[in-house]
């Protein structure tokens, strides 16, 4: 998280520079000449920074581990039988910080290869953005299934890509999200089975005792909570979710 805050702090010098009155030149220009080549002007850099901040929530949903984690946690809550416990704020916060844990190496590599050299003035904006994108692209490709990638490539009318670097983000993002949804539902299904067995057993016992008017959910809920606590369920779920992102 510290690295992310440092990356976002990249915009502070740009904002300070924009606040100073300009001596000469237009207020907005795409490119300006420099000793090392051509780079983006201050005004355009601020515009890109503000756009990136606005798209940050969508990027966190579409290009990180957040989607898989929050879906599995939501299915787990339904499987236990407590649709409002833990509350949504707790689940989202847990998913967010576990996502920071999973994405930590990726964000660190992006910061070291792209943001840090750009802040030091040793790399131009375009090159820094490309270098920062590579770790994220590698992570997404490692979690994307080939059939999903082929599906969106065919829908886009593209032929087979020569390499992973040739896959455009417009194809990679929906392919990654589709794969994440499939994986999340697979993990959620396996998580649901033990609690479903408890519901079936309790329902059968109540039927055999002639207590058909008593809700099986009311009786099975304490047993499901007890089972989840005894097996240290939160540690198992968190560990399984974190390990599921390991790239072989």
């Amino acid at each position: 998280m510290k690295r992310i805050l440092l990356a976002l702090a990249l915009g502070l010098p740009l904002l300070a520079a924009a606040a100073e009155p300009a001596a000469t030149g237009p207020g907005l220009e795409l490119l300006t000449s420099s000793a090392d080549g051509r780079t983006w002007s201050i005004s355009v850099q601020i515009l890109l920074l503000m756009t990136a901040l606005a798209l940050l929530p969508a990027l966190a949903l579409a290009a990180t581990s957040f989607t898989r984690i929050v879906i599995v946690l939501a299915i787990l809550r339904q499987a236990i039988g407590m649709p409002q416990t833990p509350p949504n704020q707790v689940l989202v916060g847990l998913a967010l910080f576990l996502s920071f844990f999973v994405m930590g190496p990726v964000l660190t590599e992006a910061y070291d290869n792209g943001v840090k050299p750009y802040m030091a003035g040793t790399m131009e904006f375009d090159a820094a953005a490309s270098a920062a994108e590579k770790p994220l692209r590698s992570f997404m490709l490692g979690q994307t299934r080939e059939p999903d990638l082929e599906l969106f490539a065919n829908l886009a009318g593209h032929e087979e890509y020569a390499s992973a670097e040739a896959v455009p983000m417009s194809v990679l993002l929906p392919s990654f999200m589709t794969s994440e949804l499939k994986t999340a539902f697979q993990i959620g299904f396996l998580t649901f089975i033990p609690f479903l067995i408890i519901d079936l057993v309790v329902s059968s016992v109540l039927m055999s005792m002639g207590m058909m008017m008593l809700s099986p959910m009311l009786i099975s809920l304490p047993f499901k909570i007890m089972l989840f606590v005894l097996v240290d369920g939160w540690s198992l779920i968190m560990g399984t979710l974190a390990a599921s992102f390991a790239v072989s």
Side-chain angles (χ1 to χ4, degrees):
M1 184 183 298
K2 182 178 179 181
R3 298 298 181 91
I4 299 176
L5 294 177
L6 290 175
L8 293 178
L10 173 65
L12 295 180
L14 303 179
L15 294 175
E20 298 178 357
T24 57
L28 180 66
E29 55 183 359
L30 291 180
L31 294 171
T32 57
S33 299
S34 64
D36 299 328
R38 300 176 68 83
T39 184
W40 295 100
S41 67
I42 295 296
S43 301
V44 175
Q45 291 182 41
I46 296 175
L47 179 61
L48 294 175
L49 176 66
M50 294 298 103
T51 304
L53 291 177
L55 295 176
L56 189 59
L59 184 63
L61 287 173
T64 67
S65 58
F66 181 83
T67 299
R68 181 190 305 185
I69 295 172
V70 76
I71 290 177
V72 172
L73 293 179
I75 294 177
L76 171 65
R77 185 172 64 176
Q78 293 290 333
I80 295 177
M82 299 184 296
Q84 301 299 328
T85 305
N88 292 331
Q89 294 87 342
V90 175
L91 283 189
V92 172
L94 185 59
L96 183 62
F97 285 105
L98 184 59
S99 298
F100 277 130
F101 173 79
V102 173
M103 301 296 297
V106 178
L107 297 176
T108 299
E109 185 178 354
Y111 175 82
D112 292 338
N113 295 343
V115 179
K116 190 174 181 179
Y118 177 75
M119 295 177 63
T122 59
M123 185 178 293
E124 295 184 2
F125 183 82
D126 291 342
S130 178
E133 179 186 310
K134 287 182 180 179
L136 185 61
R137 174 185 291 270
S138 177
F139 170 81
M140 295 171 64
L141 285 171
Q143 307 300 325
T144 303
R145 293 178 171 86
E146 287 190 11
D148 296 328
L149 192 60
E150 292 176 359
L151 169 64
F152 286 96
N154 293 333
L155 291 176
H158 297 166
E159 301 293 336
E160 184 176 354
Y161 300 108
S163 62
E165 289 75 14
V167 180
M169 292 297 291
S170 60
V171 172
L172 180 57
L173 279 173
S175 304
F176 172 75
M177 292 195 69
T178 304
S179 296
E180 286 295 282
L181 289 173
K182 290 181 180 179
T183 305
F185 275 84
Q186 288 175 354
I187 299 176
F189 170 76
L190 296 176
T191 304
F192 214 107
I193 291 178
F195 302 104
L196 180 60
I197 293 175
I198 295 178
D199 285 333
L200 292 175
V201 171
V202 171
S203 179
S204 299
V205 171
L206 292 178
M207 288 287 291
S208 64
M209 296 176 61
M211 304 174 66
M212 293 175 292
M213 300 301 295
L214 184 61
S215 174
M217 294 294 296
L218 183 63
I219 304 300
S220 63
L221 180 58
F223 290 99
K224 290 190 286 187
I225 295 177
M226 181 181 65
L227 172 66
F228 192 69
V229 171
L230 289 178
V231 301
D232 198 8
W234 287 113
S235 297
L236 289 176
I237 291 295
M238 295 295 104
T240 300
L241 284 173
S244 67
F245 291 96
V247 181
S248 59

